[in-house]
Amino acid sequence: MIARITCISLIIAAAMASDVYAQGESWSSVFGAGRQHYDNGAFADAVKAFERATELASANSANLADSWNWLGLARWKLAKYPDAEAAHLKARPLYLKLNGEKSAPYAFSTNNLGLVYWHQGRLKEGDELLHQALKILEQVEGDKGINLARGFNNGVVLDSAGNVAETC
C-alpha cells in the first residue's frame, strides 16, 4: 500500500513538474529549438517544436506566421506534403495580412507553398506560385531578390519545368 501511494505521488509530482515546465515555455525558446532541430536535420523533432510554437504564439502575429511557415518546411523535408501544404496555407495569409503582398516574407511563403505543390505533382499551381514569388522578390529586392529565390531552389525547379530563360 505504501509503495502504491509512493508511486502515485511520484506520478503526480512528475505531472506537476511537466505542467510547470510547460507554463515556463516561451515561444522564442521553443521556436529556437525547432530551428536548431531543423538545421541539424532532425525534422521530426523540428515538427514537434514548431507545432508547440504555433500553440504558444499570439494569434495573428508574425511569430505565428513564422511557426506555421517553419512547420511546413519541416513537414516538407519529411515528404509529408499534404501536412506541409496545410501549414503553408496558414502561414501565407498571415504574412499577407502582416506585411502586404509586396514583401519578402510573403514572397518566401509563396515560394514555399509553390515548392510543396511542385513536389505533389501539381506543377501548374507550383509554377504559378514560384513565378509569383520571383516577381515579388524582384520588385522588393531587385537583383538581390532573384539571387535569394535561386537560393531557395526556384531556379532548379523552374529549370526542370523548362523555364530556364526566366530564371537565369
Side-chain angles (χ1 to χ4, degrees), residues 4-5 8 11 15 22 31 41 72 89 93 95 106 110 114 120-121 124 130 136 140 151 158 166:
R4 186 173 180 188
I5 293 171
I8 292 171
I11 292 169
F31 183 81
L89 286 172
Y95 282 127
Y106 181 72
T110 299
Q120 288 177 316
K124 184 177 179 186
L130 294 171
I136 294 168
V140 173
L158 293 175
E166 294 184 35

Side-chain angles (χ1 to χ4, degrees), residues 117-155:
Y117 285 165
W118 196 83
H119 282 278
Q120 288 177 316
R122 296 161 62 183
L123 301 181
K124 184 177 179 186
E125 291 170 279
D127 190 58
E128 288 172 5
L129 290 175
L130 294 171
H131 277 90
Q132 182 182 354
L134 281 171
K135 184 177 178 182
I136 294 168
L137 283 173
E138 185 176 30
Q139 291 171 348
V140 173
E141 302 283 341
D143 288 340
K144 179 182 168 191
I146 297 300
N147 291 330
L148 286 170
R150 283 191 182 130
F152 285 102
N153 297 320
N154 272 357

Side-chain angles (χ1 to χ4, degrees), residues 1-13:
M1 181 70 158
I2 293 175
R4 186 173 180 188
I5 293 171
T6 303
C7 183
I8 292 171
S9 296
L10 288 173
I11 292 169
I12 292 170

Side-chain angles (χ1 to χ4, degrees), residues 20-33:
V20 169
Y21 175 74
Q23 290 172 359
E25 289 177 314
S26 70
W27 175 85
S28 61
S29 66
V30 172
F31 183 81

Side-chain angles (χ1 to χ4, degrees), residues 39-150:
D39 291 344
N40 291 331
F43 301 116
D45 290 333
V47 165
K48 290 176 189 171
F50 293 134
E51 285 174 341
R52 180 68 181 133
T54 65
E55 297 167 1
L56 294 171
S58 300
N60 299 317
S61 67
N63 290 351
L64 184 58
D66 289 343
S67 299
W68 285 119
N69 182 61
W70 281 94
L71 177 58
L73 290 170
R75 288 173 171 171
W76 175 61
K77 289 288 193 174
L78 293 170
K80 294 185 176 188
Y81 302 126
D83 294 334
E85 176 186 1
H88 287 303
L89 286 172
K90 291 181 179 181
R92 191 168 176 246
L94 273 175
Y95 282 127
L96 178 61
K97 180 180 178 180
L98 296 167
N99 303 296
E101 187 177 9
K102 303 296 184 212
S103 67
Y106 181 72
F108 291 134
S109 182
T110 299
N111 175 81
N112 295 341
L113 182 58
L115 289 172
V116 169
Y117 285 165
W118 196 83
H119 282 278
Q120 288 177 316
R122 296 161 62 183
L123 301 181
K124 184 177 179 186
E125 291 170 279
D127 190 58
E128 288 172 5
L129 290 175
L130 294 171
H131 277 90
Q132 182 182 354
L134 281 171
K135 184 177 178 182
I136 294 168
L137 283 173
E138 185 176 30
Q139 291 171 348
V140 173
E141 302 283 341
D143 288 340
K144 179 182 168 191
I146 297 300
N147 291 330
L148 286 170
R150 283 191 182 130

